[in-house]
Amino acid sequence: MQDIVVRHGIKDVRSIKTLAVYLASNCGNLVTGSRLFSQLGLKTAATILEYLSFLEQSYLFFLVPKFNHSAKAQSVNPKKGYSIDTGMTRSVGLSASKDLGRLFENVVFLELRRKTRNIWYYSEAAFECDFLWGNPRFPKMPCRCALS
């Protein structure tokens, strides 16, 4: 975390740490700048988006966009956040429950990420797909993660 703070000259260290703990506690959940702004009370939605970008550039967290053929639609829809390290997620996150389903989803994401950078989620009113991957024009078979 200190590398990110120094590299980008961040003055408000508490805010980026709060954001990182929130992301670690909510792996696999949808993330938007405005929602984080209201939930965490950090500076502005623009600052939060900038901090998310820093965390993603450092490979601590990944943000997966919603699948859409329109790049604009992908950029405005919520993204799903995943951690590079499930051990860090368990030790830093504030979740009271183990939530093994979300950890499993994170592990599946990491395995897909080893194979490709083109990963999306898909969600409509009555249907959700945790991962689509591959060619943006013709993504491969969807994957739904679940622990039974």
Side-chain angles (χ1 to χ4, degrees):
M1 184 63 67
Q2 191 63 30
D3 295 350
I4 297 169
V5 170
V6 171
R7 181 179 197 185
H8 298 287
I10 297 171
K11 303 283 188 244
D12 187 4
V13 177
R14 184 192 61 79
S15 290
I16 195 163
K17 283 185 177 180
T18 300
L19 179 60
V21 168
Y22 178 86
L23 290 173
S25 301
N26 292 282
C27 282
N29 287 343
L30 297 177
V31 175
T32 65
S34 58
R35 184 178 303 153
L36 290 171
F37 174 69
S38 65
Q39 287 180 339
L40 301 178
L42 301 179
K43 292 183 177 183
T44 65
T47 301
I48 291 171
L49 292 175
E50 185 177 44
Y51 288 176
L52 285 171
S53 171
F54 296 161
L55 291 169
E56 196 169 22
Q57 288 170 16
S58 69
Y59 294 99
L60 280 176
F61 295 96
F62 299 94
L63 299 176
V64 175
K66 181 177 180 179
F67 179 78
N68 197 305
H69 290 291
S70 163
K72 181 179 179 183
Q74 280 189 14
S75 69
V76 298
N77 278 310
K79 295 175 177 35
K80 278 185 150 186
Y82 294 99
S83 171
I84 187 65
D85 185 348
T86 55
M88 176 189 71
T89 299
R90 298 271 317 258
S91 67
V92 173
L94 299 176
S95 180
S97 68
K98 289 184 180 179
D99 204 359
L100 295 177
R102 295 245 183 248
L103 285 175
F104 178 66
E105 186 177 333
N106 201 118
V107 169
V108 171
F109 165 78
L110 291 172
E111 183 58 30
L112 288 173
R113 183 69 169 79
R114 285 185 187 101
K115 298 173 191 282
T116 182
R117 295 188 185 278
N118 298 326
I119 303 172
W120 308 270
Y121 76 93
Y122 183 78
S123 178
E124 290 302 324
F127 179 74
E128 180 186 349
C129 174
D130 291 323
F131 302 109
L132 297 170
W133 67 94
N135 183 328
R137 292 188 59 180
F138 306 103
K140 291 189 179 176
M141 182 176 275
C143 174
R144 173 90 174 124
C145 300
L147 287 177
S148 47

